[in-house]
Amino acid sequence: MRSENIQWPTTIFLIGYHVFLAIALPIYFMHHTLSGAMLGTTIALVFASGLAITAGYHRLYSHLTYKAHPIVEAVLLFFSSVATQGSALQWCHDHRLHHAYVDTDRDPYSIKKGFFFAHFLWMLRAPKPIDPKLVADLMRNKMLVFQHRYYGLCMIVSNLIVFLTVGWLFNDYWGAFLFAWWVRLFLLHHTTWFINSLAHTWGDRHYSEEHSAVDNYILCLLTYGEGYHNYHHTFAHDYRNGIRWYHFDPTKWLIWILSKVGLAKDLKRVSDFRIARQLVVDHKKRLLEKVRSSIHDLGLEKKVSDAGEALLERLTALQTLYDRYKKIPRQEAHALRDQLRTARREWKAHWKEWKKVIKLVNQKPGLQI
Ligand SMILES: [Zn+2]
Ligand SMILES: [Zn+2]
């Protein structure tokens, strides 16, 4: 990286606070013991600011997956200023570029430039000026424009409020300064940076191979639910990243709870039919690629092709019936219920057949699907 391309204030800040922690933490532990309450508060602050980034900067502003009450926006913006990751406008601008040009030169944190580039080196470069066309909708939001214009002040004041409050609560300003500010920032930064680095390298591509994003369940625990990144890059306008109820996605749960108490609305979710279709289409493509390139078995190729087509046909039939069922009045719906039950049974039978075909191809040497 040439020196004229380096963004010196960010570089000095990021490297500087890591060095500060490396020196200050051993000195602190030589003279003090960390209390459970201070540790708990630090973790709680990591979560509060991490969720503000994922529920606010990411799912609310970058992808518009739901609408939030202004009070929620204000709280999210306060904690995302505490998170010290740049203004919402700049963050969303870069993130929209990331999705539009993922894995290419125009992706600001492309994993193709290396793990550490995607993790944090990209931030040391001078940021691309904001293209107003890319965030025109966000520039109409007065709170976002204010936060962008006075970002430095918002960041310092919000962090001072947090640090002084924790210091006052525990009567330990030195501990609060070290843990509730800088250790918290260290943990938060690296867990959010994992989304650009680890979530593009370590895991499985369940929904699409068109991009490098992967699903990684361990990563979900560290990234407030953002570890289902292959799903997210495939269906970015879904407010969920983990689509099953048991998937660890606290950001999704927070948005859902807010909607239940009237503080969020218009939650966007991709239909199960679309998700299933994407899965079948993607798996069929991968299976055929493997059969054609390394197995060379025309019989197996036909089997994959026919089973995939039959499954997609069943899915279309089920979806058509379901759409009709939803539109007709309740008292007339009973006639369709039997047909729906049959269509669902047929879909399940074909799905079982499809699993057998996948197993058959997976038994052959080469890539596993
Ligand atoms: Zn990504
Ligand atoms: Zn995204």
Side-chain angles (χ1 to χ4, degrees), residues 10 20 36 89 106 111 133 135 151 176 185 190-191 201 233 247 272 315 321 324 326:
T10 306
F20 163 71
L89 280 183
R106 293 184 71 186
I111 196 69
K133 286 201 291 293
V135 282
Y151 181 70
L185 203 57
H190 286 280
T191 48
T201 44
H233 268 267
H247 282 173
D272 291 345
L315 187 62
L321 267 178
R324 264 178 60 203
K326 276 205 317 191

PDB file of all heavy atoms in Angstrom, residues 10 20 36 89 106 111 133 135 151 176 185 190-191 201 233 247 272 315 321 324 326:
ATOM      1  N   THR A  10      -7.120   7.024  10.813  1.00  0.00           N
ATOM      2  CA  THR A  10      -7.695   5.708  11.149  1.00  0.00           C
ATOM      3  C   THR A  10      -6.592   4.715  11.488  1.00  0.00           C
ATOM      4  O   THR A  10      -6.699   3.931  12.446  1.00  0.00           O
ATOM      5  CB  THR A  10      -8.527   5.167   9.957  1.00  0.00           C
ATOM      6  OG1 THR A  10      -9.471   6.161   9.599  1.00  0.00           O
ATOM      7  CG2 THR A  10      -9.239   3.888  10.299  1.00  0.00           C
ATOM      8  N   PHE A  20      -1.837   0.292  22.895  1.00  0.00           N
ATOM      9  CA  PHE A  20      -2.204   0.763  24.235  1.00  0.00           C
ATOM     10  C   PHE A  20      -2.709  -0.393  25.101  1.00  0.00           C
ATOM     11  O   PHE A  20      -2.289  -0.562  26.253  1.00  0.00           O
ATOM     12  CB  PHE A  20      -3.275   1.863  24.118  1.00  0.00           C
ATOM     13  CG  PHE A  20      -4.010   2.130  25.397  1.00  0.00           C
ATOM     14  CD1 PHE A  20      -3.383   2.753  26.463  1.00  0.00           C
ATOM     15  CD2 PHE A  20      -5.342   1.738  25.548  1.00  0.00           C
ATOM     16  CE1 PHE A  20      -4.055   2.987  27.665  1.00  0.00           C
ATOM     17  CE2 PHE A  20      -6.023   1.962  26.735  1.00  0.00           C
ATOM     18  CZ  PHE A  20      -5.380   2.590  27.800  1.00  0.00           C
ATOM     19  N   GLY A  36     -16.233  -9.433  38.378  1.00  0.00           N
ATOM     20  CA  GLY A  36     -17.221 -10.078  37.509  1.00  0.00           C
ATOM     21  C   GLY A  36     -18.200  -9.064  36.946  1.00  0.00           C
ATOM     22  O   GLY A  36     -18.637  -9.158  35.799  1.00  0.00           O
ATOM     23  N   LEU A  89     -23.789   6.533   7.062  1.00  0.00           N
ATOM     24  CA  LEU A  89     -23.792   6.797   5.612  1.00  0.00           C
ATOM     25  C   LEU A  89     -22.584   6.149   4.945  1.00  0.00           C
ATOM     26  O   LEU A  89     -22.704   5.486   3.903  1.00  0.00           O
ATOM     27  CB  LEU A  89     -23.790   8.304   5.331  1.00  0.00           C
ATOM     28  CG  LEU A  89     -25.131   9.016   5.445  1.00  0.00           C
ATOM     29  CD1 LEU A  89     -24.978  10.486   5.066  1.00  0.00           C
ATOM     30  CD2 LEU A  89     -26.197   8.369   4.575  1.00  0.00           C
ATOM     31  N   ARG A 106     -14.090  -3.788  -7.183  1.00  0.00           N
ATOM     32  CA  ARG A 106     -14.916  -2.684  -6.666  1.00  0.00           C
ATOM     33  C   ARG A 106     -15.514  -2.980  -5.293  1.00  0.00           C
ATOM     34  O   ARG A 106     -16.150  -2.120  -4.698  1.00  0.00           O
ATOM     35  CB  ARG A 106     -16.013  -2.333  -7.673  1.00  0.00           C
ATOM     36  CG  ARG A 106     -15.451  -1.745  -8.962  1.00  0.00           C
ATOM     37  CD  ARG A 106     -16.538  -1.309  -9.896  1.00  0.00           C
ATOM     38  NE  ARG A 106     -17.242  -0.124  -9.412  1.00  0.00           N
ATOM     39  CZ  ARG A 106     -18.321   0.395  -9.994  1.00  0.00           C
ATOM     40  NH1 ARG A 106     -18.798  -0.180 -11.089  1.00  0.00           N
ATOM     41  NH2 ARG A 106     -18.896   1.477  -9.517  1.00  0.00           N
ATOM     42  N   ILE A 111     -12.576 -10.305  -0.265  1.00  0.00           N
ATOM     43  CA  ILE A 111     -11.785 -11.407   0.307  1.00  0.00           C
ATOM     44  C   ILE A 111     -10.735 -11.892  -0.697  1.00  0.00           C
ATOM     45  O   ILE A 111      -9.737 -12.501  -0.309  1.00  0.00           O
ATOM     46  CB  ILE A 111     -12.720 -12.568   0.757  1.00  0.00           C
ATOM     47  CG1 ILE A 111     -12.001 -13.542   1.692  1.00  0.00           C
ATOM     48  CG2 ILE A 111     -13.301 -13.322  -0.433  1.00  0.00           C
ATOM     49  CD1 ILE A 111     -11.666 -13.014   3.041  1.00  0.00           C
ATOM     50  N   LYS A 133     -25.611   8.704  -5.176  1.00  0.00           N
ATOM     51  CA  LYS A 133     -26.646   7.872  -5.828  1.00  0.00           C
ATOM     52  C   LYS A 133     -26.860   6.560  -5.065  1.00  0.00           C
ATOM     53  O   LYS A 133     -27.945   6.020  -5.039  1.00  0.00           O
ATOM     54  CB  LYS A 133     -26.212   7.531  -7.265  1.00  0.00           C
ATOM     55  CG  LYS A 133     -26.318   8.699  -8.237  1.00  0.00           C
ATOM     56  CD  LYS A 133     -26.389   8.221  -9.668  1.00  0.00           C
ATOM     57  CE  LYS A 133     -25.074   7.623 -10.136  1.00  0.00           C
ATOM     58  NZ  LYS A 133     -23.947   8.554 -10.251  1.00  0.00           N
ATOM     59  N   VAL A 135     -26.608   6.036  -1.836  1.00  0.00           N
ATOM     60  CA  VAL A 135     -27.258   6.158  -0.517  1.00  0.00           C
ATOM     61  C   VAL A 135     -28.265   7.320  -0.516  1.00  0.00           C
ATOM     62  O   VAL A 135     -28.500   7.928   0.533  1.00  0.00           O
ATOM     63  CB  VAL A 135     -26.215   6.345   0.615  1.00  0.00           C
ATOM     64  CG1 VAL A 135     -25.551   5.040   0.978  1.00  0.00           C
ATOM     65  CG2 VAL A 135     -25.169   7.391   0.265  1.00  0.00           C
ATOM     66  N   TYR A 151     -19.849  13.205  13.042  1.00  0.00           N
ATOM     67  CA  TYR A 151     -19.524  11.846  13.470  1.00  0.00           C
ATOM     68  C   TYR A 151     -18.466  11.799  14.573  1.00  0.00           C
ATOM     69  O   TYR A 151     -18.635  11.105  15.578  1.00  0.00           O
ATOM     70  CB  TYR A 151     -19.086  10.958  12.290  1.00  0.00           C
ATOM     71  CG  TYR A 151     -18.789   9.577  12.797  1.00  0.00           C
ATOM     72  CD1 TYR A 151     -19.828   8.760  13.232  1.00  0.00           C
ATOM     73  CD2 TYR A 151     -17.475   9.133  12.971  1.00  0.00           C
ATOM     74  CE1 TYR A 151     -19.577   7.522  13.798  1.00  0.00           C
ATOM     75  CE2 TYR A 151     -17.222   7.892  13.539  1.00  0.00           C
ATOM     76  CZ  TYR A 151     -18.284   7.099  13.941  1.00  0.00           C
ATOM     77  OH  TYR A 151     -18.030   5.890  14.521  1.00  0.00           O
ATOM     78  N   ALA A 176     -13.164   1.177  34.179  1.00  0.00           N
ATOM     79  CA  ALA A 176     -14.184   1.472  33.159  1.00  0.00           C
ATOM     80  C   ALA A 176     -13.517   1.966  31.872  1.00  0.00           C
ATOM     81  O   ALA A 176     -13.909   1.588  30.770  1.00  0.00           O
ATOM     82  CB  ALA A 176     -15.154   2.528  33.685  1.00  0.00           C
ATOM     83  N   LEU A 185     -14.141  -2.178  22.826  1.00  0.00           N
ATOM     84  CA  LEU A 185     -13.965  -1.803  21.416  1.00  0.00           C
ATOM     85  C   LEU A 185     -13.167  -2.875  20.656  1.00  0.00           C
ATOM     86  O   LEU A 185     -13.489  -3.232  19.519  1.00  0.00           O
ATOM     87  CB  LEU A 185     -13.236  -0.455  21.332  1.00  0.00           C
ATOM     88  CG  LEU A 185     -13.448   0.319  20.041  1.00  0.00           C
ATOM     89  CD1 LEU A 185     -14.914   0.580  19.771  1.00  0.00           C
ATOM     90  CD2 LEU A 185     -12.682   1.642  20.089  1.00  0.00           C
ATOM     91  N   HIS A 190     -13.181  -6.738  16.381  1.00  0.00           N
ATOM     92  CA  HIS A 190     -12.770  -7.996  15.751  1.00  0.00           C
ATOM     93  C   HIS A 190     -13.969  -8.894  15.445  1.00  0.00           C
ATOM     94  O   HIS A 190     -13.971  -9.575  14.415  1.00  0.00           O
ATOM     95  CB  HIS A 190     -11.717  -8.712  16.586  1.00  0.00           C
ATOM     96  CG  HIS A 190     -10.380  -8.030  16.464  1.00  0.00           C
ATOM     97  ND1 HIS A 190      -9.548  -8.221  15.387  1.00  0.00           N
ATOM     98  CD2 HIS A 190      -9.779  -7.100  17.247  1.00  0.00           C
ATOM     99  CE1 HIS A 190      -8.465  -7.461  15.526  1.00  0.00           C
ATOM    100  NE2 HIS A 190      -8.584  -6.764  16.647  1.00  0.00           N
ATOM    101  N   THR A 191     -15.000  -8.881  16.302  1.00  0.00           N
ATOM    102  CA  THR A 191     -16.156  -9.738  15.994  1.00  0.00           C
ATOM    103  C   THR A 191     -16.906  -9.213  14.776  1.00  0.00           C
ATOM    104  O   THR A 191     -17.365 -10.003  13.951  1.00  0.00           O
ATOM    105  CB  THR A 191     -17.116  -9.878  17.206  1.00  0.00           C
ATOM    106  OG1 THR A 191     -17.383  -8.578  17.744  1.00  0.00           O
ATOM    107  CG2 THR A 191     -16.541 -10.763  18.275  1.00  0.00           C
ATOM    108  N   THR A 201     -14.661 -17.024   4.324  1.00  0.00           N
ATOM    109  CA  THR A 201     -13.639 -18.063   4.103  1.00  0.00           C
ATOM    110  C   THR A 201     -13.953 -19.391   4.798  1.00  0.00           C
ATOM    111  O   THR A 201     -13.738 -20.439   4.224  1.00  0.00           O
ATOM    112  CB  THR A 201     -12.252 -17.611   4.634  1.00  0.00           C
ATOM    113  OG1 THR A 201     -12.421 -17.015   5.914  1.00  0.00           O
ATOM    114  CG2 THR A 201     -11.562 -16.666   3.699  1.00  0.00           C
ATOM    115  N   HIS A 233     -25.975 -13.167   1.685  1.00  0.00           N
ATOM    116  CA  HIS A 233     -25.590 -12.644   0.374  1.00  0.00           C
ATOM    117  C   HIS A 233     -26.551 -13.127  -0.723  1.00  0.00           C
ATOM    118  O   HIS A 233     -26.668 -12.488  -1.760  1.00  0.00           O
ATOM    119  CB  HIS A 233     -24.161 -13.051   0.019  1.00  0.00           C
ATOM    120  CG  HIS A 233     -23.151 -12.018   0.441  1.00  0.00           C
ATOM    121  ND1 HIS A 233     -22.706 -11.020  -0.398  1.00  0.00           N
ATOM    122  CD2 HIS A 233     -22.523 -11.813   1.623  1.00  0.00           C
ATOM    123  CE1 HIS A 233     -21.836 -10.259   0.249  1.00  0.00           C
ATOM    124  NE2 HIS A 233     -21.708 -10.712   1.478  1.00  0.00           N
ATOM    125  N   HIS A 247     -32.043 -21.085  14.836  1.00  0.00           N
ATOM    126  CA  HIS A 247     -30.759 -20.514  14.392  1.00  0.00           C
ATOM    127  C   HIS A 247     -30.378 -19.350  15.312  1.00  0.00           C
ATOM    128  O   HIS A 247     -31.209 -18.475  15.564  1.00  0.00           O
ATOM    129  CB  HIS A 247     -30.854 -20.008  12.952  1.00  0.00           C
ATOM    130  CG  HIS A 247     -30.780 -21.101  11.939  1.00  0.00           C
ATOM    131  ND1 HIS A 247     -30.986 -20.893  10.598  1.00  0.00           N
ATOM    132  CD2 HIS A 247     -30.500 -22.420  12.071  1.00  0.00           C
ATOM    133  CE1 HIS A 247     -30.844 -22.032   9.951  1.00  0.00           C
ATOM    134  NE2 HIS A 247     -30.551 -22.979  10.821  1.00  0.00           N
ATOM    135  N   ASP A 272     -40.588 -19.315   2.079  1.00  0.00           N
ATOM    136  CA  ASP A 272     -39.971 -20.649   2.116  1.00  0.00           C
ATOM    137  C   ASP A 272     -39.909 -21.255   0.725  1.00  0.00           C
ATOM    138  O   ASP A 272     -38.989 -22.011   0.413  1.00  0.00           O
ATOM    139  CB  ASP A 272     -40.772 -21.573   3.049  1.00  0.00           C
ATOM    140  CG  ASP A 272     -40.627 -21.147   4.503  1.00  0.00           C
ATOM    141  OD1 ASP A 272     -39.701 -20.353   4.793  1.00  0.00           O
ATOM    142  OD2 ASP A 272     -41.429 -21.587   5.338  1.00  0.00           O
ATOM    143  N   LEU A 315     -42.808 -28.253  -6.465  1.00  0.00           N
ATOM    144  CA  LEU A 315     -42.738 -27.017  -5.686  1.00  0.00           C
ATOM    145  C   LEU A 315     -43.653 -25.951  -6.297  1.00  0.00           C
ATOM    146  O   LEU A 315     -44.386 -25.255  -5.587  1.00  0.00           O
ATOM    147  CB  LEU A 315     -41.282 -26.514  -5.645  1.00  0.00           C
ATOM    148  CG  LEU A 315     -41.011 -25.328  -4.733  1.00  0.00           C
ATOM    149  CD1 LEU A 315     -41.307 -25.673  -3.273  1.00  0.00           C
ATOM    150  CD2 LEU A 315     -39.558 -24.871  -4.847  1.00  0.00           C
ATOM    151  N   LEU A 321     -51.071 -23.740  -5.452  1.00  0.00           N
ATOM    152  CA  LEU A 321     -52.213 -24.112  -4.603  1.00  0.00           C
ATOM    153  C   LEU A 321     -52.263 -23.256  -3.347  1.00  0.00           C
ATOM    154  O   LEU A 321     -53.317 -22.770  -2.941  1.00  0.00           O
ATOM    155  CB  LEU A 321     -52.073 -25.573  -4.181  1.00  0.00           C
ATOM    156  CG  LEU A 321     -52.763 -26.622  -5.044  1.00  0.00           C
ATOM    157  CD1 LEU A 321     -52.462 -27.999  -4.499  1.00  0.00           C
ATOM    158  CD2 LEU A 321     -54.275 -26.408  -5.049  1.00  0.00           C
ATOM    159  N   ARG A 324     -53.486 -19.784  -4.029  1.00  0.00           N
ATOM    160  CA  ARG A 324     -54.949 -19.793  -4.229  1.00  0.00           C
ATOM    161  C   ARG A 324     -55.658 -19.911  -2.883  1.00  0.00           C
ATOM    162  O   ARG A 324     -56.643 -19.241  -2.609  1.00  0.00           O
ATOM    163  CB  ARG A 324     -55.337 -20.975  -5.120  1.00  0.00           C
ATOM    164  CG  ARG A 324     -55.468 -20.571  -6.595  1.00  0.00           C
ATOM    165  CD  ARG A 324     -55.792 -21.765  -7.458  1.00  0.00           C
ATOM    166  NE  ARG A 324     -57.035 -22.421  -7.098  1.00  0.00           N
ATOM    167  CZ  ARG A 324     -57.309 -23.700  -7.402  1.00  0.00           C
ATOM    168  NH1 ARG A 324     -56.433 -24.432  -8.043  1.00  0.00           N
ATOM    169  NH2 ARG A 324     -58.467 -24.237  -7.086  1.00  0.00           N
ATOM    170  N   LYS A 326     -54.708 -18.982  -0.007  1.00  0.00           N
ATOM    171  CA  LYS A 326     -54.636 -17.746   0.795  1.00  0.00           C
ATOM    172  C   LYS A 326     -55.629 -16.692   0.313  1.00  0.00           C
ATOM    173  O   LYS A 326     -56.064 -15.844   1.081  1.00  0.00           O
ATOM    174  CB  LYS A 326     -53.210 -17.168   0.725  1.00  0.00           C
ATOM    175  CG  LYS A 326     -52.292 -17.827   1.733  1.00  0.00           C
ATOM    176  CD  LYS A 326     -51.110 -16.984   2.157  1.00  0.00           C
ATOM    177  CE  LYS A 326     -50.435 -16.255   1.036  1.00  0.00           C
ATOM    178  NZ  LYS A 326     -49.188 -15.646   1.362  1.00  0.00           N
TER     179      LYS A 326
END
